[in-house]
Amino acid sequence: MRPSKIKIRYGKLPAWLKRGVIGIIGLLCIFILADLIFPLKINIPYSTLITDKNDEVFHAFLSPDDKWRMFIKLDEISNQLEKTILHKEDKYFYYHPGINPAAIIRAGINNITQNRRTSGASTITMQVARLLNPKERSYSNKLREMFRALQLELHFSKKEIFQLYLNLVPYGGNIEGVKAASYLYFGKSPDHLSLAEITVLAIIPNRPTSLRIGYADEYIQQERNRWLQQFKEDGLWDDGIIADAIDEPFDGYRRDRPRLVPHLANRLFREYPSKAIIETAIDLSIQQKTEKIVKDYSYSLYAKNIHNAAVLILDNKSHEVLAYLGSSDFYDNQHAGQVDGIRAIRSPGSTLKPFLYGKCFEAGLITPKSVVSDLPVNFYGYQPENYTGHYNGMVTVEYALINSLNVPAVNLLDQYSIEKFTENLAGAGFDQIKKDEPKLGLSLILGGCGVSLEELCNLFSAFSNSGLMIHASLSSEEEKTDSLLVLSPGAAFMVTEILTQLNRPDFPQQWQNIAHLPRIAWKTGTSYGRRDAWSIGYNHNYTVGVWVGNFSGEGVPGLSGADAAAPLLFSIFNAIDRESDKNWNQPPDDVDFRYICTESGLMPSDFCDNQIIDYFIPEISSSEKCRHLKTIFINPDSTLSYCSACMPASGFIKAKYPNYSPALIEYFEQNQIKYQKIPPHNADCEKVFTLGAPAITSPTENAEYFLSPDYGLQLCLKCQAAPDVETVYWYINNKFIAESEPGQNLFSKVPEGKVKISCSDDKGRNTDIEVNVVYVDL
């Protein structure tokens, strides 16, 4: 049996349904076209907020239109905040397309039957549309709101629309948004609000005039509790939670804006004025500890006429700024408290010396136990002096650094090259030095340049990071800079080993008898005229920079890095890192140790009896042999010495004598220091007249000197001579001028132009030099 065919006939769609479908499609086309013609533009000017490492706001600035309108992030919207506000304002927010037809019909019926507006039909989305473009209430404007609401729903998620609402909802005056109200009325971020506080913020926007905090607090509390009861009846929250909220005292009042860390906040606001939120790594616990320490310490400075201090603290691991104190009191108008001492360009005093010593370690010029000269020296008319005004003869490198001796530092800079050193500093981010690079001289190492506290802290942080410098970031907005190896790991280690020593003049006296000390490396500095006192310290965790002085530039007799800045540095380290590891500075792979002669700091020779262990950089550090003794031929009673030209056939002996330089011998003589002298040379020797001529130390050969006849300025003549010389004779242009003892300063008038200066000793040996003299009017 063949199966029968089943035919299904589809009837035609009803006309009304066809018209409905066409109408809907037409409306959609019109809406899409209107969306293209009238695009949604959202450009909300927010207040700028500066946040700490925990995302807490510590400083806020008005928006460009002078509103407190703080941007709330999605993760700051708590579940309690969202549920409470949506329950009150728009229960069906997540179910309608921006317009709630049921609410519109209900509102229309109520308004017609009551002949007045009794209830609204605006959804959260429609309120956002109105807040973005406020207009008078009218039916035409309501249609515009509906259109904009549909646009919002098309282009944004529900979470983003709700976020816009929370950012724009008004709270009276110039306060807009839940976050601004939360900080300015309750002093906390929105995700820390209690249910009672959330309820207050939920009810104020509908009646910002009658529910004005500070003027109608009792009424606000009454309305808050009424709505809490309503939430209870609606089953929004558990009875216990509601009861606790009702019992909570009302603590809302108009608070001041957050305005902590003002120097940093103002700096970031100037750099990023259009940013709603600028994130930093500021640790408010460390910041506030530091502020209190500086404030208490400043009282002792005021009596000495010292009114300003600045402190910067860096995290040596994350390379971020943890504390930023531009002055001891931002609001001290009398002493320019608004000046940012962290960015101010000042003379660094001796604070650049560790970097120079590190570069010399790296170049193989010295090691920590190398012996260097601390004797008077003249560099083309520039004669550096030590801070104390005294010289120490021959000293070790580590002694020179921890005692901050000036003369060895200038000598090392001359050996290393001023051009190379300024190039190193410019590459490390010292902007003022980079600008002044062509005109900087040897005085740079003693403070003859301009630096900032921020630049110094970044440099010293590299010492704790094996010589690798990464500029500490102020905020997440900054572009990450590439790391720069400013010192080899071995050089950085040796600098740190020296700077951690405690037996030194800049160790604060009040800390000398304290058993528990933070182990830090530090360097102090004092600028010329005692205008700036510095102390920069570091360990493996932190770098702390301290500047003390007056922003006016006024010098103070008692101002020094050791006395004014170092005590503050130790107090801060003791407060923020008291329990730090004391064994944090360990030798890197590129450092080894060896025995050296204590007399010269060089590799021992056979005659070197006193030896000591010293760090060095293999294949880099010098392997020169010690020559602190030399062999002299003398007669048996040690009254004469001989050279190879006059040595007798017999009747002489060999003896070892110190190999002192003429400058050191002069230092011994001037300071009446006993030393082992070589016996006078054989007077009958003919070679004595051709060797050992005086060395003219002033003036400098081929130098140009500017003198003023009006002020009677004269040229200083000085020489170094052999030990057996008692008198030297001076000639200018072959004309005898005067006689003097070796090493004695002799001042003489000289003619203008090219001048020949001659010095002869009492053995008949002679030295000639030429200088150029220019007379000027002063």
Side-chain angles (χ1 to χ4, degrees):
M1 183 175 176
R2 296 178 63 187
S4 59
K5 294 182 179 178
I6 301 175
K7 294 183 180 180
I8 300 176
R9 292 195 175 187
Y10 295 92
K12 294 183 179 180
L13 290 174
W16 64 269
L17 186 56
K18 285 183 178 180
R19 287 194 294 270
V21 171
I22 293 171
I24 291 171
I25 294 172
L27 288 173
L28 285 173
C29 292
I30 293 171
F31 171 71
I32 292 171
L33 182 61
D35 181 60
L36 294 173
I37 297 173
F38 306 104
L40 187 63
K41 297 178 181 179
I42 298 179
N43 185 21
I44 305 170
Y46 287 105
S47 302
T48 296
L49 307 179
I50 318 293
T51 63
D52 69 359
K53 70 172 189 176
N54 297 318
D55 289 332
E56 291 294 326
V57 176
F58 65 77
H59 208 105
F61 296 90
L62 281 167
S63 66
D65 56 350
D66 293 330
K67 300 281 188 181
W68 289 115
R69 186 187 299 114
M70 302 180 184
F71 181 78
I72 187 171
K73 296 188 291 186
L74 290 174
D75 59 9
E76 292 179 297
I77 304 173
S78 65
N79 179 58
Q80 201 171 54
L81 175 65
E82 181 177 352
K83 283 183 67 175
T84 302
I85 290 182
L86 288 183
H87 186 80
K88 180 184 177 300
E89 290 294 324
D90 190 354
K91 295 185 182 70
Y92 304 102
F93 174 69
Y94 282 103
Y95 304 102
H96 60 65
I99 301 170
N100 188 341
I104 293 174
I105 293 170
R106 185 196 69 239
I109 293 173
N110 289 339
N111 293 343
I112 291 172
T113 56
Q114 300 293 328
N115 200 27
R116 62 187 177 89
R117 187 176 182 274
T118 60
S119 63
S122 292
T123 62
I124 289 280
T125 313
M126 291 172 64
Q127 290 184 58
V128 170
R130 182 170 65 250
L131 292 169
L132 287 171
N133 189 18
K135 292 185 180 295
E136 293 182 358
R137 291 182 180 272
S138 66
Y139 289 112
S140 60
N141 287 335
K142 181 65 70 174
L143 290 173
R144 290 192 184 92
E145 285 176 20
M146 292 180 181
F147 169 68
R148 291 301 186 190
L150 292 172
Q151 282 185 299
L152 284 166
E153 295 282 345
L154 176 65
H155 295 288
F156 295 93
S157 68
K158 286 288 187 180
K159 289 285 186 184
E160 291 170 333
I161 294 170
F162 185 60
Q163 181 186 28
L164 282 170
Y165 172 78
L166 295 182
N167 282 326
L168 296 171
V169 62
Y171 284 94
N174 67 338
I175 300 176
E176 292 184 5
V178 165
K179 189 168 182 175
S182 177
Y183 273 105
L184 297 176
Y185 289 140
F186 296 109
K188 60 181 71 172
S189 60
D191 53 344
H192 288 102
L193 291 170
S194 66
L195 177 60
E197 292 163 340
I198 290 171
T199 304
V200 170
L201 297 185
I203 63 177
I204 288 178
N206 298 119
R207 292 179 288 168
T209 303
S210 60
L211 297 177
R212 189 177 177 187
I213 291 179
Y215 294 88
D217 292 354
E218 188 174 339
Y219 182 46
I220 291 172
Q221 188 167 359
Q222 177 184 330
E223 286 296 291
R224 177 199 75 178
N225 293 344
R226 183 175 70 82
W227 271 99
L228 287 169
Q229 286 290 355
Q230 184 64 52
F231 296 155
K232 177 181 177 181
E233 293 172 8
D234 295 344
L236 185 64
W237 305 109
D238 294 340
D239 292 354
I241 296 175
I242 295 292
D244 291 340
I246 290 174
D247 292 339
E248 183 179 312
F250 178 69
D251 188 36
Y253 61 90
R254 181 63 164 84
R255 291 167 165 82
D256 193 8
R257 65 185 172 102
R259 50 178 184 173
L260 302 175
V261 203
H263 290 94
L264 175 62
N266 287 332
R267 174 178 176 177
L268 293 175
F269 181 60
R270 286 192 295 269
E271 291 179 6
Y272 310 105
S274 61
K275 292 293 297 185
I277 298 177
I278 302 174
E279 298 173 344
T280 76
I282 288 293
D283 186 322
L284 284 182
S285 173
I286 292 178
Q287 175 76 27
Q288 290 167 347
K289 282 181 185 177
T290 303
E291 287 178 358
K292 185 178 187 308
I293 291 170
V294 172
K295 184 177 181 180
D296 293 344
Y297 184 75
S298 295
Y299 293 135
S300 65
L301 299 177
Y302 293 157
K304 302 175 183 177
N305 196 33
I306 304 170
H307 301 286
N308 300 110
V311 177
L312 183 66
I313 302 179
L314 311 183
D315 187 321
N316 288 337
K317 295 176 180 176
S318 66
H319 309 289
E320 295 171 316
V321 173
L322 299 182
Y324 192 110
L325 189 64
S327 70
S328 51
D329 183 0
F330 181 82
Y331 301 100
D332 182 4
N333 295 322
Q334 184 178 356
H335 300 106
Q338 288 80 35
V339 172
D340 188 349
I342 289 170
R343 305 182 74 190
I345 301 300
R346 316 287 298 191
S347 166
S350 297
T351 54
L352 293 176
K353 288 177 181 175
F355 187 47
L356 172 63
Y357 279 75
K359 297 307 290 184
C360 290
F361 290 145
E362 185 180 74
L365 298 177
I366 53 173
T367 59
K369 295 291 194 300
S370 294
V371 175
V372 292
S373 169
D374 181 29
L375 300 169
V377 66
N378 188 307
F379 293 95
Y380 299 97
Y382 173 55
Q383 296 177 290
E385 294 183 350
N386 289 324
Y387 181 78
T388 60
H390 300 98
Y391 300 94
N392 299 275
M394 304 304 290
V395 297
T396 64
V397 163
E398 62 181 6
Y399 181 91
L401 181 53
I402 61 176
N403 286 275
S404 199
L405 301 180
N406 290 341
V407 174
V410 175
N411 278 325
L412 286 174
L413 181 56
D414 183 56
Q415 292 178 50
Y416 180 73
S417 163
I418 179 67
E419 291 79 13
K420 283 168 58 179
F421 192 60
T422 53
E423 185 179 333
N424 295 149
L425 289 168
F430 286 78
D431 291 336
Q432 191 62 43
I433 288 178
K434 186 175 183 178
K435 293 177 184 176
D436 299 337
E437 193 171 347
K439 58 185 179 183
L440 293 174
L442 294 174
S443 63
L444 171 147
I445 199 60
L446 308 184
C449 58
V451 305
S452 71
L453 181 59
E454 184 175 355
E455 291 168 343
L456 284 175
C457 286
N458 278 314
L459 177 64
F460 273 69
S461 71
F463 297 153
S464 74
N465 195 31
S466 299
L468 191 67
M469 176 190 248
I470 302 175
H471 285 272
S473 62
L474 296 168
S475 75
S476 60
E477 302 300 323
E478 291 185 5
E479 293 183 5
K480 295 297 181 182
T481 57
D482 295 333
S483 58
L484 175 68
L485 190 67
V486 296
L487 275 183
S488 69
F493 164 78
M494 288 191 279
V495 168
T496 299
E497 276 295 288
I498 295 173
L499 295 184
T500 52
Q501 295 184 28
L502 299 179
N503 186 19
R504 51 198 281 189
D506 62 349
F507 182 58
Q509 292 183 358
Q510 59 266 48
W511 288 87
Q512 290 180 358
N513 297 319
I514 295 178
H516 190 96
L517 284 172
R519 184 173 186 262
I520 62 171
W522 84 99
K523 181 71 183 76
T524 58
T526 307
S527 69
Y528 179 77
R530 295 180 180 269
R531 295 181 175 89
D532 308 276
W534 303 87
S535 189
I536 318 293
Y538 61 93
N539 62 11
H540 62 306
N541 290 325
Y542 304 107
T543 294
V544 178
V546 173
W547 171 88
V548 174
N550 292 311
F551 289 142
S552 64
E554 179 183 359
V556 179
L559 185 68
S560 72
D563 296 332
L568 183 54
L569 176 80
F570 271 76
S571 296
I572 292 170
F573 259 110
N574 201 46
I576 67 174
D577 204 23
R578 180 180 174 84
E579 302 298 332
S580 63
D581 180 14
K582 294 186 179 296
N583 299 313
W584 53 272
N585 189 44
Q586 296 298 319
D589 293 338
D590 65 335
V591 164
D592 205 342
F593 62 88
R594 65 186 179 186
Y595 282 94
I596 53 94
C597 174
T598 58
E599 298 294 331
S600 65
L602 300 174
M603 296 288 289
S605 294
D606 295 339
F607 50 76
C608 296
D609 297 326
N610 299 317
Q611 300 180 21
I612 193 172
I613 291 176
D614 187 22
Y615 287 112
F616 77 107
I617 303 175
E619 299 182 7
I620 298 294
S621 300
S622 172
S623 57
E624 181 183 353
K625 286 285 189 178
C626 175
R627 291 176 287 120
H628 83 276
L629 294 179
K630 60 182 177 180
T631 301
I632 301 294
F633 299 102
I634 60 174
N635 60 2
D637 58 1
S638 302
T639 58
L640 285 177
S641 62
Y642 305 106
C643 65
S644 58
C646 65
M647 186 172 59
S650 62
F652 66 91
I653 60 175
K654 286 183 181 180
K656 293 287 187 182
Y657 282 86
N659 190 13
Y660 296 136
S661 67
L664 184 59
I665 292 172
E666 181 183 350
Y667 169 76
F668 288 153
E669 294 288 348
Q670 287 185 349
N671 292 274
Q672 298 180 348
I673 298 173
K674 291 183 179 181
Y675 66 99
Q676 187 179 4
K677 297 182 179 181
I678 299 174
H681 198 77
N682 179 15
D684 297 329
C685 179
E686 296 180 359
K687 195 174 182 181
V688 72
F689 296 101
T690 59
L691 297 176
I696 298 176
T697 57
S698 177
T700 302
E701 186 172 11
N702 297 323
E704 188 171 49
Y705 290 86
F706 295 86
L707 304 178
S708 172
D710 297 333
Y711 285 83
L713 297 181
Q714 298 179 336
L715 205 60
C716 176
L717 308 179
K718 187 178 180 182
C719 75
Q720 293 174 352
D724 56 350
V725 174
E726 296 180 357
T727 306
V728 294
Y729 306 92
W730 292 95
Y731 301 81
I732 294 180
N733 290 336
N734 299 320
K735 180 180 179 181
F736 176 73
I737 298 297
E739 65 178 58
S740 69
E741 295 179 359
Q744 178 184 346
N745 289 330
L746 178 68
F747 291 90
S748 175
K749 293 181 179 179
V750 291
E752 190 172 13
K754 287 285 185 183
V755 178
K756 177 185 176 183
I757 297 175
S758 306
C759 181
S760 300
D761 63 19
D762 52 15
K763 307 301 181 187
R765 295 168 294 198
N766 181 75
T767 300
D768 298 327
I769 65 168
E770 280 192 353
V771 297
N772 189 46
V773 176
V774 179
Y775 282 140
V776 295
D777 295 326
L778 299 178

